Amino acid sequence: MASLEEVGRPVTSAVLTTMAAFMPLMLLPGILGDFMRVIPMVVTIALAISLVEAFWMLPVHVSVARVNFANPGRMQRFRVRMTHRIQIAYVRTLIKAMRRPVLTFGLIGLLFASAMGALGAGLIKLDFFASDPLRLFYVNIEMAPQSSLSTTLEKVRQMEKLVRKHLKDEDVRVVVGYAGQQFTETAPMFGSQYGQVLVGLKPKTEQNRSVDELLAAVREDALALPGPINTTFLRLAGGPPVSKPISIKVRGDEYSEIRAAADALKSYLASVPEITDISDDAGGGRMTLSLTADYDAITQAGLNPMEVIRTAQLLVDGEVVADMQHDGEEVEIRVRAKPQTYSNVDQLLSFELPLPDGGRMLLSKLVKFERHQALGNIRHYNFRRAITVEADLLPDTIDTVTANDQVVNHWNTALQSQFPNLDLDFSGELDDIQESMDAIGVLFLFGIGLMYLILGTQFASYFQPLMILMTIPMAFTGVVMGLLITQNPLSLFTMYGVVALAGIAVNAAIVLISAGNQRLEKGMSVKHATLYAARRRVIPILITSLTTIAGLFSLATGLGGHSLIWGPVATAIVSGLAFSTILTLFLIPMLYRIFMPYSHKSQQSEKIPEPETSA
């Protein structure tokens, strides 16, 4: 019971502050929130159950077990000796640090500044949606719109042979080529001009190559294959579904102007070496033959213009002459010429019309015709016509935000004056990043506010919670150092882990300050209370931190398999907690020693009773 009375309040505060950091993450919007929402939910429930275990079930277990240290064994005596040595070594080091506060604070500040400098200098790679690629990729082929299915399939077979040339037995599982459709990240595309080669790979081992390495090996030869008007690559990844890093909607009213602006943007993107796989969703239609009546030729031939136009219509779609009801639905009756198989649309012009004098004349001499490519589709976005230009980034080059900033700068300086009636809408991965970044910042501040309220309620102080929250910048220092050492990218998942880390890192400071306050209440001086609290709490703090680090160490270091999603999260928590624990053991006692004398004197003066006055 004495143990529960001593640690009950700090343990409760530590659990509640951790829950305060995790619970707001359940409110995270967007695809990142949908993907990660289960984590704060599970952690919050587990922490609540652990509190019940610690205060009710664990004391019962200890009581039933009847643990007795009257006759300690060899292992227990070794543990006591090691604990004592650690406590003595730590207190001696702490006393030396307290005698040189300027040097100690300077070193801690230098570590924080170095971390911020490494982040600002770009030593840590930014990959906001870093994820592990699936072991497959696609080679997309788009032929000319008038291409037949057999022509596209033949080109797909050539591409399949070319791809197989770069694959080894330990890499490939299956290679399949097909024509007539094309799988994309959004909706499939259908048409005889579309083809695709699917490359399925074996699971990653030390002997085979990664997806990015295989794409780099195939890319040059695939792009050099003659015939296709566009060849792109599709690389799928795990994690939340996101659009391509560059996704720009060119919006306007005149389609020809939108098309020209989209082509100008694609030309600029092609000039940037870090940008690849450029495409748009315009989807060119088939070749079209437009017929216009030549009234002079028709009059000279002695024909009625309406008969010529009607004949051309009957040869193609026919003419609706009546309608009827069948099973409650309206059915049109269409009259058309006898269907014929045309290998070329120009054969339509060879049809002969009878003349009044008994002769015959080719349709091509009675009409004006023009061949051109029809529109495949006209898409709209926010009530305006739009073409979406998309592109991918080569691995280990520029990040999404930088790439989009370059496009915006080029549009404002070079293209906006040419297309004043158009505007750009940046969506895709950039939109997801901005939404997640804004929400994470707000939820982080909200969690800090909740932690301050919880700590202020426990310690009945405005200043002591601020001392405890000083551990959060130190934890972020550890995060940066950990990413720098492991070469993991700074992603949105990492920032998610930083927000969660804020609730974990403060636990050591809570138990230190709580122990110091208990000693002050029993009459110790501030200096002795500081050293006593540090000596008494160092072992529980180290054990708590080391168990958390041990649980996440294999995931952070990739011992159980490297993951670009969960690895940076674990790295953020492990390195941040390790750094913050070490620095907390020195910074918090020094802050407590420096600032508590003033607070303690004010509290003592409030407790001095007023002298009684005799009547």
Side-chain angles (χ1 to χ4, degrees):
M1 295 302 296
S3 300
L4 288 176
E5 183 178 356
E6 180 180 355
V7 301
R9 292 179 62 185
V11 168
T12 302
S13 296
V15 172
L16 291 179
T17 52
T18 306
M19 293 172 65
F22 275 95
M23 287 182 65
L25 293 176
M26 288 189 284
L27 305 177
L28 187 66
I31 58 173
L32 181 64
D34 294 337
F35 183 71
M36 305 285 282
R37 185 164 292 122
V38 66
I39 295 178
M41 187 182 302
V42 171
V43 170
T44 301
I45 296 174
L47 287 172
I49 295 175
S50 70
L51 204 58
V52 176
E53 160 69 19
F55 287 161
W56 280 274
M57 300 179 68
L58 184 61
V60 174
H61 294 162
V62 174
S63 176
V64 172
R66 296 182 180 180
V67 179
N68 186 3
F69 295 107
N71 297 312
R74 179 182 303 176
M75 183 58 66
Q76 174 64 15
R77 291 194 300 269
F78 173 77
R79 188 190 68 83
V80 171
R81 288 196 303 270
M82 290 303 300
T83 298
H84 181 70
R85 291 177 182 177
I86 293 174
Q87 289 174 330
I88 295 301
Y90 163 61
V91 171
R92 288 177 177 175
T93 307
L94 177 61
I95 292 174
K96 293 179 180 179
M98 294 174 66
R99 289 174 178 173
R100 300 172 180 83
V102 176
L103 178 61
T104 304
F105 288 134
L107 291 175
I108 295 175
L110 181 62
L111 285 174
F112 181 74
S114 300
M116 296 302 101
L119 190 60
L123 298 180
I124 296 177
K125 183 178 66 174
L126 294 177
D127 189 353
F128 293 99
F129 275 105
S131 56
D132 305 298
L134 301 181
R135 294 290 293 172
L136 60 87
F137 65 88
Y138 296 86
V139 183
N140 303 325
I141 298 174
E142 182 180 354
M143 302 291 289
Q146 67 272 20
S147 300
S148 64
L149 191 63
S150 58
T151 303
T152 304
L153 184 58
E154 178 61 29
K155 192 59 63 175
V156 168
R157 288 170 177 167
Q158 295 178 22
M159 181 66 74
E160 184 179 340
K161 291 180 181 179
L162 188 149
V163 171
R164 287 182 181 274
K165 184 179 68 173
H166 294 275
L167 300 176
K168 300 178 181 179
D169 293 338
E170 62 268 20
D171 294 323
V172 65
R173 173 178 288 172
V174 65
V175 179
V176 179
Y178 45 87
Q181 67 176 2
Q182 191 176 102
F183 173 79
T184 67
E185 291 176 307
T186 52
M189 304 175 69
F190 299 96
S192 61
Q193 73 270 34
Y194 295 113
Q196 196 167 47
V197 177
L198 164 63
V199 182
L201 304 175
K202 294 179 179 178
K204 185 71 180 75
T205 63
E206 295 182 358
Q207 287 74 31
N208 56 23
R209 291 172 289 179
S210 66
V211 175
D212 292 330
E213 290 173 339
L214 291 172
L215 281 173
V218 171
R219 186 181 299 274
E220 184 176 356
D221 287 348
L223 294 176
L225 181 68
I229 62 174
N230 191 24
T231 301
T232 58
F233 300 85
L234 178 59
R235 167 185 176 273
L236 300 180
V242 295
S243 302
K244 288 193 174 182
I246 297 177
S247 182
I248 309 166
K249 290 180 172 62
V250 186
R251 301 171 60 242
D253 299 319
E254 294 295 332
Y255 191 84
S256 58
E257 188 178 14
I258 300 172
R259 180 70 268 174
D263 290 339
L265 275 176
K266 291 173 68 176
S267 298
Y268 168 72
L269 294 176
S271 66
V272 181
E274 295 86 0
I275 298 176
T276 184
D277 296 338
I278 305 164
S279 62
D280 62 58
D281 65 347
R286 294 180 173 275
M287 295 302 294
T288 303
L289 183 67
S290 299
L291 303 180
T292 305
D294 188 347
Y295 292 98
D296 292 338
I298 294 173
T299 302
Q300 293 175 6
L303 296 174
N304 186 343
M306 291 303 299
E307 292 181 359
V308 176
I309 295 174
R310 188 178 184 187
T311 299
Q313 187 175 358
L314 290 173
L315 289 172
V316 183
D317 292 329
E319 181 180 352
V320 178
V321 296
D323 59 72
M324 58 181 294
Q325 295 290 328
H326 177 69
D327 291 339
E329 296 183 0
E330 184 177 338
V331 178
E332 295 179 341
I333 300 176
R334 186 181 296 271
V335 177
R336 58 170 299 185
K338 181 180 179 180
Q340 297 184 22
T341 302
Y342 297 108
S343 60
N344 192 321
V345 71
D346 290 341
Q347 293 179 358
L348 185 69
L349 299 174
S350 62
F351 182 81
E352 295 180 338
L353 279 78
L355 299 177
D357 59 4
R360 306 182 73 84
M361 181 173 287
L362 294 174
L363 179 62
S364 60
K365 295 183 179 181
L366 299 174
V367 296
K368 299 176 182 179
F369 53 90
E370 180 184 0
R371 301 176 183 86
H372 61 87
Q373 183 179 352
L375 296 177
N377 54 61
I378 300 179
R379 302 181 186 274
H380 290 76
Y381 182 76
N382 286 347
F383 307 105
R384 299 187 75 186
R385 294 177 175 179
I387 294 178
T388 302
V389 178
E390 293 185 328
D392 211 340
L393 301 176
L394 291 175
D396 300 326
T397 55
I398 57 177
D399 60 88
T400 301
V401 176
T402 303
N404 282 273
D405 287 343
Q406 292 181 4
V407 177
V408 171
N409 182 63
H410 179 73
W411 174 264
N412 293 334
T413 57
L415 299 179
Q416 181 68 75
S417 58
Q418 301 179 31
F419 308 100
N421 300 322
L422 305 183
D423 61 78
L424 302 184
D425 184 278
F426 287 81
S427 56
E429 187 176 307
L430 180 65
D431 197 27
D432 298 329
I433 289 172
Q434 291 174 342
E435 180 184 25
S436 299
M437 289 282 287
D438 295 341
I440 286 176
V442 172
L443 294 177
F444 177 74
L445 294 177
F446 181 67
I448 294 294
L450 284 179
M451 287 190 285
Y452 182 84
L453 293 177
I454 294 170
L455 297 174
T457 302
Q458 177 192 341
F459 294 111
S461 170
Y462 293 108
F463 180 72
Q464 286 189 355
L466 295 179
M467 281 197 295
I468 293 173
L469 295 178
M470 284 292 295
T471 58
I472 296 176
M474 294 185 293
F476 187 72
T477 302
V479 171
V480 176
M481 296 298 181
L483 295 177
L484 193 61
I485 294 172
T486 60
Q487 290 299 300
N488 276 322
L490 179 61
S491 63
L492 289 176
F493 306 109
T494 310
M495 298 178 187
Y496 193 96
V498 171
V499 176
L501 175 63
I504 303 174
V506 299
N507 294 343
I510 291 174
V511 296
L512 273 175
I513 292 180
S514 176
N517 290 342
Q518 290 175 358
R519 296 301 102 187
L520 286 179
E521 291 175 358
K522 293 184 178 181
M524 274 191 181
S525 65
V526 174
K527 181 188 297 185
H528 288 88
T530 302
L531 295 176
Y532 179 88
R535 182 180 181 277
R536 185 169 179 81
R537 296 299 187 210
V538 62
I539 297 300
I541 289 173
L542 291 177
I543 292 175
T544 304
S545 298
L546 288 175
T547 52
T548 305
I549 292 172
L552 295 171
F553 185 78
S554 60
L555 184 59
T557 56
L559 295 179
H562 187 69
S563 172
L564 286 175
I565 297 178
W566 304 112
V569 177
T571 299
I573 296 177
V574 167
S575 58
L577 183 59
F579 270 77
S580 67
T581 300
I582 295 173
L583 297 180
T584 296
L585 289 173
F586 294 94
L587 179 63
I588 296 302
M590 293 181 65
L591 292 176
Y592 192 86
R593 170 68 180 85
I594 293 172
F595 293 104
M596 279 308 294
Y598 308 103
S599 175
H600 186 55
K601 289 179 181 178
S602 63
Q603 293 175 4
Q604 291 297 324
S605 62
E606 292 175 0
K607 293 180 181 180
I608 296 176
E610 296 183 0
E612 297 182 0
T613 57
S614 58

